[in-house]
Amino acid sequence: MVKNMEQLSLFTMGEEKNTFSDICDILGCDNNIPAWPDLFGKAVRSYLSENNIENIRTLSLFSGAGGLDIGFCDVGFEIIESVEIEKKFCQTLELNSGQGKRFENCKVQCVDIKDYTGDHLGKNRLYYRRSAVSDIQRRRTPGQRGGRNPGCERHFV
């Protein structure tokens, strides 16, 4: 049985308040100046903290060297595991993972996504980011090699 996926929503807004500019206005973040992405990340993190919203535990698939994950971390996502096949990218991820580093609680899995099951994650509420390439993963049925972990509640971001 396949569960429906939930859409993650950090902001409660009326129907008329749904554009990126509206979100920036709510956060008090000017998105028309240099370095606005950094200011946006800080504003989101402050919003989450002020509203007692916990860090969002996230599984990163097709991680590369972690550039996109840095952006996710900056706005309050906690990358708990990165899955990547390229050894050089995994080495970079490992250099940036561990106590006191960018990805403090992250475990790096240097494995082909076809061989990754995530069974060791158990019954956790996880959000995972994916690239368009990972759509191949969704075509597998539960129980197939590399298929979804039926005990893990997953949500797309």
Side-chain angles (χ1 to χ4, degrees):
M1 174 170 32
V2 176
K3 288 184 177 181
N4 288 333
M5 299 293 168
E6 286 180 31
Q7 175 65 42
L8 176 63
S9 178
L10 297 177
F11 304 99
T12 304
M13 298 180 287
E15 290 179 28
E16 68 283 351
K17 297 276 190 181
N18 58 6
T19 68
F20 178 72
S21 292
D22 292 333
I23 293 170
C24 287
D25 290 344
I26 290 168
L27 295 173
C29 175
D30 185 351
N31 63 350
N32 291 314
I33 60 173
W36 71 263
D38 294 331
L39 298 174
F40 179 77
K42 289 177 185 176
V44 171
R45 186 171 283 268
S46 292
Y47 174 87
L48 297 176
S49 177
E50 291 165 7
N51 290 284
N52 296 319
I53 299 172
E54 294 180 20
N55 283 348
I56 301 159
R57 297 181 46 167
T58 307
L59 170 63
S60 175
L61 304 175
F62 307 96
S63 301
L68 185 59
D69 293 346
I70 289 171
F72 274 92
C73 284
D74 286 350
V75 295
F77 287 71
E78 177 186 1
I79 308 296
I80 62 160
E81 191 161 270
S82 294
V83 181
E84 175 55 49
I85 191 172
E86 294 292 331
K87 289 182 182 171
K88 287 185 179 186
F89 293 153
C90 291
Q91 291 169 345
T92 299
L93 289 166
E94 288 170 355
L95 287 172
N96 289 299
S97 298
Q99 192 67 27
K101 297 184 178 177
R102 167 77 63 182
F103 307 119
E104 192 158 336
N105 298 311
C106 182
K107 180 176 180 183
V108 178
Q109 295 286 339
C110 195
V111 63
D112 189 319
I113 194 70
K114 294 181 291 191
D115 298 324
Y116 181 77
T117 64
D119 290 339
H120 61 284
L121 296 172
K123 288 191 171 208
N124 291 303
R125 183 176 174 113
L126 291 175
Y127 293 88
Y128 62 103
R129 71 142 190 101
R130 63 186 183 142
S131 68
V133 177
S134 70
D135 283 335
I136 26 181
Q137 181 72 8
R138 293 189 309 151
R139 292 192 184 107
R140 294 189 180 96
T141 58
Q144 278 186 318
R145 185 179 176 100
R148 294 186 183 119
N149 174 0
C152 185
E153 187 178 347
R154 295 182 181 183
H155 307 268
F156 292 108
V157 293

